[in-house]
Structure formats: C-alpha cells, structure tokens
Amino acid sequence: MSATPATPRQFRVWRVFLATWVIVFGLLTCWVFASPLGAGPDEPAHIVKAYGVSHGDLAGRIDPALPGDRAFEVPGYIKDFTTMVGCYRFDPSMPGSCLGAIDNQPSEMVEVFSGAGSYNPVYYFLVGWPSYFLDGAKVIHGMRLASALLYSLGIAWGITALASRRRRSWTMLAAAVTLTPMSLFMGAVVNISSMELAAAFAMSASLIALLDRGRRMPRTALILGVLISGTLLANSRSVGPLWFVIIAAALLIDGRLWRELIRSKLFWGAVVVLGGVGGAAYLWMQRVGGSGAPSTLGWGAGVVTPREGIEYMLSRTLEHAAGYVGTFGWLDTRLPDTIILIWGGLLFALVAAALLLGDGWGRVRTLVLTMALIAVPALLQGMSWYTHGHIWQDRYVLAIVFALTLCAGATLDDAIPGLVHLYRGRTTMFLLLAGLLVMHGFAILWNLRRYVTGLDEPKVEWRKMLSEPLWEPSTPGGWPVLVVVFSFAALAWVLLIARLSSRTSRNRRARWRVASGAPQVAVPTAPAVIAPIVVESEVEPVERGTDTVPVASPAHANDDAAVGSEPDRDENTAADEPSADEAAEFEPVAPARTDVDADK
C-alpha cells in the first residue's frame, strides 16, 4: 500500500518552518563565533553543569563551605578555561586575545564548582551531548551550537504558528521587534536563558494562534506546541514555572477559546501532562535548588528592606529596556543609547498602541501582561533583597517581554487590521524592518569591536579593527567575513517577515479556495444584483432578496473545515486582484473528513 502524499497545506506549513529555522540558525551561528568562549553571562558555570549532566551527574556534589555551588567532574582543560575568562570579564577595554588557547587534548578529570549546579538539568542534557565526541575548544563551540539549534527551533515554530493567523501584519512586525540583539546573543551562548526564551516565544505564539478563529493550522498541532514549549519553559530557570503560569493565564483570557478547548481531549491531556511537569520542576527546585544559600550575596543584603527594594525596582522600570535590547558579555558591553532608545521605543509603541487602540479581550490580555512585566520583577527582587542582595538582571524577564510584544501585535491585528495597508502604510513597515536590519548589523559589529580591539571609550577608533586586530573569531576570513554572512542572514530575516506579513483579505482567502478547486462566494457591496464569481466548481445560484449568491454543492459544503477555521468575516479589507506570490503561502485542500471539531 503506497504512502499517502503530503497535502499542499502540510507542505506550505513545513516550508515556512524550515525557512525560518534556517535563517534564525544562521543568525545565531554568527553570534556563536562573534564572542570569545566564556563571554556569555556565567557561561563557564553553565558549561561545567552541561558537561556533568551529559555524563550522568545531574546535581553534582555539595561542599559545606560553598552551599550555593555544586562540584562536577570535568576534564582539566575546562577547569583551566573557567579561570582564564577572568582576564576580560567586566572589563570592556580588554580584548578577547587575553583568553589564550584552550588545550585540545584529553586530560585527567578534576572537580570544578558551578554556580548553576542546582539548576534544572533538562537544558543541560539537551546541549551537553557534543562533549561525548569533541575535546577542547570544540566542546564549547559544540555546546553553543546545540543551544543555538534549540533556540532556533523554538523561534521557527513560533513564527510558523503566527504565520497561520488570518490577520498577521502587526503580529509579524511584533515578532521582528521581539527578536532583539540581546535575545540572539543569549540564544548563541551556553546559558539556560536560551531554552527559557525559545520556549516562551513558541508557547506565546501557539496560544496567540489558537485565539484566531481563522487560523490555518490544526488545533491539535498548536496544542502540542503549547505542551512541548510549556514543558521546556517550566523546566528552565527557577522562575520558569511562574512565567508559564503568567503567560498561559494571560493569553487564555477568552471565553470562546475555552468553549472550544474544553471539548478537546488533547487539551485535557496536555493539562494533565503540564501539571505533572510543573510539579516535578517544583520538587526539583525545593529538593535541589533550595538546598543551600547562595555562595555570594548581591549588594544591599541585610540593608535594603522589601519596601525599599520594591520602590527601587519600580522606579527603574523603563531603564530595564537596555537589558531587553542589548547588554552583551558579562553585562559589561552595552549598546549605544541611541540603539536602545529606538528599539525600546518600538517595543513601547506597540504595547501602548495595543492598549489605546485595542478592543475586547485583546486589550485585557495586553494589560495583564503589562502589569506582570512591571510588578513581578519588583516583587521578586524586592522581597529577596534583604536576604540575598541585588541579584536581578534585566534579561530575566525577557520571557514576559516576548509574550507581551506578540500579544500587542495580535491585538492590533484584531482591532485595526487594515491600518498597515493604508496610504504609505506598507512603505512605513518596510522602513521599520530596514531599520531593524541596520541595528542588528550594528549590534554584532559593536560586540565584535569590544573583543577585537577592546572598547576604549569615549574614543572608539573603528579603523583599528582592520589595522590592529588583537582577536579574531575562529571562522574563515575573520570578523569581516562573519559580518558579511550575518548581514545576508539578517536581510533574509526581514524579507521573510515582510513576506509573511502580507495582508489577508476576503479576496485573498477566496484565491486560496480557487487554488484548491473549492468554490468561491461573491459578496455584494451594495443592494444590487451581483453575478456570481465564475470558478471551476459546482455552484448553484440562489436568490436572496436582491442579491444573487452562489451556494456550494454538497460535495464542497465543508471546504472551510479544510483550513481548520470558520469562513472569513472581515468586511473592512478592500478587493484586489490575485497575486501568485501572495497565494503561495498556505494552500488548503478539500478535507478527507468534515468533522471541524476533530482533534486529529
């Protein structure tokens, strides 16, 4: 018996997924080699943990003298590496050349303490596998690439889910703004935040796609996406379960969606699985993560009261944008204020527009996530300031920033879908994407400048990168070739976003039906006798008042179910001529069954 060929819809969905994954993984690969080894925040500690977990040691050994750290057995060259990174850490004027070479030969096993020893082991198991067949610097590069692979898969799934929405122009623009240089940097180093951010993006996108009644992805696929990404998010950092609860609670504020989900057996199965996963993550955090006090305390420990800490955090809410946009290295290499102001302004403008122009549940969801972004960091840091000191970093809340920005874009699509397509609207959008392209290129160049020659501010001489380079990435052609490759990948990224944000209208939906051989329905714009649109399908004109509307024959009665959605009710978009380029994205076909509520 021959295998059933893939339907056009399945092919198109996978094409979007694969194109996005290739582009994002290309961007991350450039970032992997744009920084010296160990240049990510606490990266040596995460590398030690990943090596230990991948070789069967999930929690390490506790030392009473260092209750917050745990010891793992690693090769001697990793121990040497963890001490070498101190030469440029917290000193942006020191180039990466001070790191020296890492021994590529196998060496004896030694114990090394890791501050990440008590973290949930799921991420480290997923990125530590290159240590089985690589040695020396290649091990660390391999772990970075494994982390980039995991991150790019999460982003690719999220973009595919968002692209399945009927209205998505604002949503795709929000996705482009969400993927900041800081998020790319964190996805390209060995740090548990990489899995946290990828999972938060994929989960938020899946939930937002579920909210759209005109979505062109099956409900089953989206629920599975929430299940997998939610599992990874809950098993990321200690605050991961909290981010999962906030994102799920905020984006599921919709009575119609609940009425749809409660009839799904898969949904209740996902609830049970996620409940078990969340319970396991909580038990790990209580038994292992909370087994000892931190080995070092932040500033203000024993001095700053909870009230003072909360007030301080609230007063710096807007200043946290620097950590959302770009603070590289060990948080010692901050992008120029102009870049932070522009990119942070775009994030703020999207959220403000959704709160002002949005309507219905979309505005409520945006408001809930906005309140969480402001209040939760203040409460978490403020309440622990007296006992642990100041330990909060701006990037810790990027998961909520992802969910908020995507939610704001979807809210604008639901409230004002045609605004992007007004006079010069598309031109403005392309200019914004071009601006993001330029800022992405500048960000990686700024990061390279910091390690190639060192940032000796306020005098930054760019010509020294060519005339007197002190460090070069371990890629063919050095940093110039790396920048060129990144520029092409970034260009492909913005072109993909522009392509996926193409407007969706009633007539475009009709063109998808024509492409699949389904009947098309003519919609009158005035009380007059309207001739039906002629297509190659079986239709029977039926008189309804003064309007003539073609009605599909029984053979095509459930064509809307083929795309997993209800008929388009958008009456605000204008008619236009078919475009072969626009119709190539998703091509629905006649369904094999007509049960629109079926999970499979």
Side-chain angles (χ1 to χ4, degrees), residues 384-462:
S384 63
W385 206 314
Y386 189 83
T387 55
H388 297 94
H390 186 275
I391 57 176
W392 188 264
Q393 298 177 20
D394 299 338
R395 61 184 174 88
Y396 287 169
V397 78
L398 266 175
I400 301 299
V401 174
F402 279 15
L404 173 59
T405 310
L406 295 179
C407 179
T411 299
L412 290 174
D413 272 327
D414 294 336
I416 48 174
L419 185 61
V420 174
H421 309 292
L422 295 178
Y423 178 68
R424 297 192 183 280
R426 298 296 295 177
T427 301
T428 303
M429 184 174 183
F430 284 128
L431 288 176
L432 287 175
L433 291 175
L436 295 180
L437 171 64
V438 173
M439 288 188 286
H440 270 301
F442 181 85
I444 195 171
L445 190 61
W446 184 262
N447 181 77
L448 284 166
R449 174 71 175 88
R450 180 255 185 272
Y451 295 109
V452 171
T453 62
L455 287 176
D456 191 11
E457 295 186 10
K459 185 179 181 180
V460 179
E461 298 184 8
W462 292 94

Side-chain angles (χ1 to χ4, degrees), residues 294-306 308-313 315-316 319-320 331 381-382 384-394:
S295 55
T296 57
L297 299 177
W299 64 271
V303 177
V304 178
T305 64
E308 293 172 340
I310 293 174
E311 291 176 351
Y312 175 84
M313 291 294 292
S315 67
R316 294 177 58 87
E319 297 181 25
H320 295 164
L331 308 182
Q381 174 59 75
S384 63
W385 206 314
Y386 189 83
T387 55
H388 297 94
H390 186 275
I391 57 176
W392 188 264
Q393 298 177 20
D394 299 338

Side-chain angles (χ1 to χ4, degrees), residues 101-126:
I102 299 176
D103 186 8
N104 287 324
Q105 301 299 322
S107 57
E108 62 180 6
M109 304 297 289
V110 295
E111 272 197 344
V112 177
F113 283 91
S114 169
S118 60
Y119 287 10
N120 194 299
V122 173
Y123 167 76
Y124 303 99
F125 177 78
L126 294 174

Side-chain angles (χ1 to χ4, degrees), residues 69 79 127 144 184 189 321 351 366 434 450 466 494 505 547:
D69 295 348
K79 179 181 180 180
V127 303
R144 279 187 170 186
L184 292 179
V189 298
V351 175
T366 305
R450 180 255 185 272
L466 291 171
V494 298
S505 66
D547 302 336

